[in-house]
Amino acid sequence: MTIAPFTLRRPEGPAASAVFSSPHSGSLYPEAFVQASRLDRHALRASEDVMVDALFASAPAAGAPLIVAELPRAWLDLNR
């Protein structure tokens, strides 16, 4: 199974002058990664910024693009 590292949600109306990003809220853990990790799933999830994507969810309706991580920070840090 291939998981896209992020989703780009495009603005729905006139463009705003901001881009919103939630690079550490990804929570789709490839099973092979979990099995190879020394950490359990709970410990891996401790690095997530839970619900930041939900906090910014209305950005596209306000005209701003939103970049949302799908893969977790422990697998791929989109800020790096």
Side-chain angles (χ1 to χ4, degrees):
M1 175 171 85
T2 302
I3 301 170
F6 66 91
T7 299
L8 172 60
R9 298 182 186 153
R10 297 184 183 277
E12 297 170 14
S17 60
V19 174
F20 287 80
S21 177
S22 181
H24 300 145
S25 60
S27 60
L28 300 176
Y29 289 81
E31 193 56 38
F33 172 69
V34 174
Q35 294 299 320
S37 176
R38 293 182 180 188
L39 302 174
D40 63 24
R41 196 175 293 268
H42 179 74
L44 287 169
R45 293 205 65 195
S47 68
E48 289 176 28
D49 290 342
V50 179
M51 302 300 290
V52 172
D53 54 337
L55 179 68
F56 293 157
S58 63
L66 173 60
I67 302 168
V68 177
E70 299 297 341
L71 291 169
R73 171 195 252 174
W75 175 261
L76 173 69
D77 188 337
L78 293 178
N79 268 347
R80 305 291 174 240

